[in-house]
Amino acid sequence: MDFLESIKATPKRQMLQQFVSLGLIIASALMIWKSLMIVTNSESPVVVVLSGSMEPSFWRGDILFLWMRNSSFEVGEIPVFKIAGRDIPIVHRLIQVQQRLDGDLNMLTKGDNNMRDDRGLYNPGQMFLNQRHIIGKAVGYLPRVGMVTIMMNDSPPLKFALIGILCLFVLTNRE
């Protein structure tokens, strides 16, 4: 009750200032994300590893930093790719790269912890990935930091609670 009374007692000008601050925080985060997209030339410059298919190279919850400035790909590199019709990007190692006559590449991937290549993950009839499927190459990572993201996706009430708490902190800040 004391908390609600303190919000009611806050002058309207200060409350407006708090909402503007919240808007600036959100706008800043979006500008940073868009700037990273431009610098890395990737539609998703940062991704979280969602499964154990790349263990021991990457573990579930690792955050990967992607780069897509050069279009050369070599066996052993770790691209992040999207399959048509699926929203979640996949992080697997290149095990085969072939130059096609039209200049594009045929690429085959496999998770380090998987027994078989990824042809079973590709769309029916698709034998290889092409450059249009790749959203970036892994160039760095932060171990386990993405577990918070995984927990928030697994539990929507937790996500909304954390967002609500952050908004309340910004709105009730007295500076």
Side-chain angles (χ1 to χ4, degrees):
M1 277 310 216
D2 200 29
F3 175 72
L4 290 176
E5 289 174 15
S6 70
I7 290 178
K8 288 179 185 176
T10 304
K12 289 180 179 162
R13 183 180 179 102
Q14 185 178 357
M15 189 59 76
L16 179 63
Q17 203 172 20
Q18 302 298 71
F19 277 109
V20 169
S21 294
L22 179 61
L24 288 173
I25 289 170
I26 292 169
S28 296
L30 289 173
M31 286 190 297
I32 290 169
W33 183 259
K34 288 293 185 182
S35 297
L36 282 172
M37 288 173 66
I38 291 168
V39 168
T40 63
N41 199 32
S42 174
E43 69 182 63
S44 183
V46 177
V47 295
V48 176
V49 177
L50 297 176
S51 76
S53 66
M54 281 301 291
E55 292 174 3
S57 298
F58 299 119
W59 298 86
R60 188 170 193 258
D62 288 354
I63 291 182
L64 302 182
F65 300 102
L66 306 184
W67 187 260
M68 196 61 187
R69 278 284 168 203
N70 61 357
S71 59
S72 65
F73 294 93
E74 297 178 15
V75 170
E77 290 182 320
I78 301 173
V80 177
F81 59 93
K82 277 189 173 180
I83 302 296
R86 299 187 193 160
D87 293 331
I88 298 175
I90 300 169
V91 179
H92 283 173
R93 190 177 305 277
L94 285 173
I95 60 170
Q96 186 178 357
V97 178
Q98 301 170 343
Q99 183 79 37
R100 292 183 355 188
L101 294 176
D102 65 2
D104 201 356
L105 298 173
N106 282 338
M107 296 175 273
L108 183 60
T109 56
K110 176 186 171 293
D112 290 356
N113 200 23
N114 293 348
M115 300 298 279
R116 298 181 183 190
D117 64 42
D118 288 343
R119 286 187 174 132
L121 293 176
Y122 304 160
N123 286 328
Q126 182 180 355
M127 299 300 287
F128 295 99
L129 296 174
N130 305 112
Q131 288 177 306
R132 73 180 188 283
H133 296 107
I134 308 295
I135 62 172
K137 289 191 273 191
V139 294
Y141 75 103
L142 285 173
R144 308 281 189 184
V145 176
M147 285 306 291
V148 173
T149 303
I150 291 173
M151 287 187 289
M152 287 191 334
N153 283 335
D154 289 349
S155 175
L158 175 64
K159 178 181 4 182
F160 294 122
L162 285 175
I163 291 171
I165 289 168
L166 289 173
C167 287
L168 282 174
F169 279 143
V170 170
L171 294 175
T172 58
N173 185 2
R174 296 286 181 206
E175 292 181 27

